Amino acid sequence: MPRRPRLWFELILIAVSYGTYSMIRNAAPDRSAQAQEHARWIWDVQGALGLAFERSVNHAVEGVTWLIVSMNYYYATLHFVVTIAVLVWLFRSHPGRYGATRLVLFATTGVALLGYYFYPLAPPRLMEGMDFIDTATVHNTWGSLSAEGSTMASVSNQYAAMPSMHIGWSLWCGITICVLARPLWLKILGALYPAVTLLVIVATANHFWLDAVGGMICLGFGYLVARWWYGRACYRLPRQVPGPRPAARTAAAAAS
């Protein structure tokens, strides 16, 4: 049975969980040679499928300065801003579904760590001899992960590209908004958000499209975990947390 979420507990839980996630993700072994091999393998697989389009998109969008700079900032910021906004909305408007839906996100992120640790992957922007453009570095965008000597480069694992949590988190946001939001315009934005995110991660050369598939698989695992834990799909739980039973209310009134 869902319980009413407590703000102080949720803030601590999210802070500790994200700190742990970042620590483990960035502590994964820096195996650059293996990461390059994996990137080449993924590129060859996509080529065999006739879907190795990342470089073409990267070069095409790079030619439109205002667009690629906007995408760079989109990549660096909305990943966190939108996810936190959806969590706050769930906490305030759907407290009965908050815990289960939050568990989906946590389980998705947790299983992604296995990919980061056991499958180091160079993102397209770091592939050797492939002529991808690192758009954040070229345009000196805040949040560049590969600028030499930058703070971001020193604290971030450059080879944690598979799976893409930009896709995992954005798809979680999009599904949650599409299912639970009432205004049509908000549902449309929810549907567009992961689609635009996919374009951004490819155009900025931060991910292959197969990284996005990995993120989707992790999200599917997250929904299965929440379904198993709560016994129902997270969105089918009651919107509001049931109030205390009459006996409990009577006892509480007597105690006061």
Side-chain angles (χ1 to χ4, degrees):
M1 177 68 66
R3 297 180 180 178
R4 182 171 297 280
R6 298 175 180 174
L7 180 59
W8 64 268
F9 176 78
E10 293 301 323
L11 291 175
I12 293 175
L13 180 62
I14 291 172
V16 171
S17 299
Y18 183 73
T20 303
Y21 162 75
S22 297
M23 180 179 65
I24 295 175
R25 177 182 185 273
N26 297 333
D30 184 358
R31 294 167 288 183
S32 57
Q34 191 176 13
Q36 291 291 337
E37 291 176 5
H38 289 162
R40 178 64 66 174
W41 183 84
I42 284 190
W43 182 251
D44 290 343
V45 168
Q46 293 187 167
L49 295 172
L51 295 172
F53 51 76
E54 287 88 349
R55 186 166 53 190
S56 297
V57 174
N58 174 234
H59 282 251
V61 178
E62 163 63 20
V64 185
T65 302
W66 67 267
L67 179 59
I68 194 60
V69 169
S70 298
M71 286 186 171
N72 287 340
Y73 284 114
Y74 179 115
Y75 183 86
T77 60
L78 290 193
H79 179 51
F80 304 103
V81 172
V82 176
T83 304
I84 292 172
V86 172
L87 282 170
V88 171
W89 172 61
L90 284 169
F91 182 89
R92 292 174 58 87
S93 301
H94 297 266
R97 297 162 180 158
Y98 173 83
T101 313
R102 183 247 290 140
L103 178 59
V104 173
L105 184 66
F106 279 29
T108 298
T109 306
V111 75
L113 292 172
L114 296 176
Y116 301 148
Y117 193 91
F118 292 107
Y119 197 82
L121 176 68
R125 60 185 171 79
L126 293 183
M127 282 186 72
E128 297 173 352
M130 289 299 295
D131 193 32
F132 278 99
I133 301 170
D134 188 338
T135 60
T137 299
V138 168
H139 294 281
N140 195 29
T141 307
W142 174 86
S144 173
L145 297 177
S146 57
E148 292 294 331
S150 70
T151 301
M152 291 294 290
S154 65
V155 301
S156 178
N157 178 5
Q158 299 286 340
Y159 303 116
M162 170 66 87
S164 168
M165 280 299 94
H166 273 74
I167 291 300
W169 289 12
S170 66
L171 189 57
W172 174 87
C173 291
I175 292 173
T176 301
I177 293 171
C178 284
V179 173
L180 298 181
R182 292 182 178 178
L184 178 60
W185 65 268
L186 194 53
K187 289 179 179 291
I188 293 173
L189 286 180
L192 288 176
Y193 178 49
V196 174
T197 299
L198 177 60
L199 174 60
V200 167
I201 66 173
V202 169
T204 57
N206 278 292
H207 288 283
F208 299 100
W209 67 263
L210 274 177
D211 300 342
V213 173
M216 294 176 189
I217 292 172
C218 289
L219 181 63
F221 172 81
Y223 278 110
L224 286 176
V225 169
R227 174 65 182 264
W228 170 77
W229 186 264
Y230 284 87
R232 296 172 64 182
C234 57
Y235 304 124
R236 291 186 176 275
L237 291 168
R239 176 174 182 171
Q240 299 297 331
V241 178
R245 290 173 296 182
R249 289 198 297 267
T250 301
S256 62

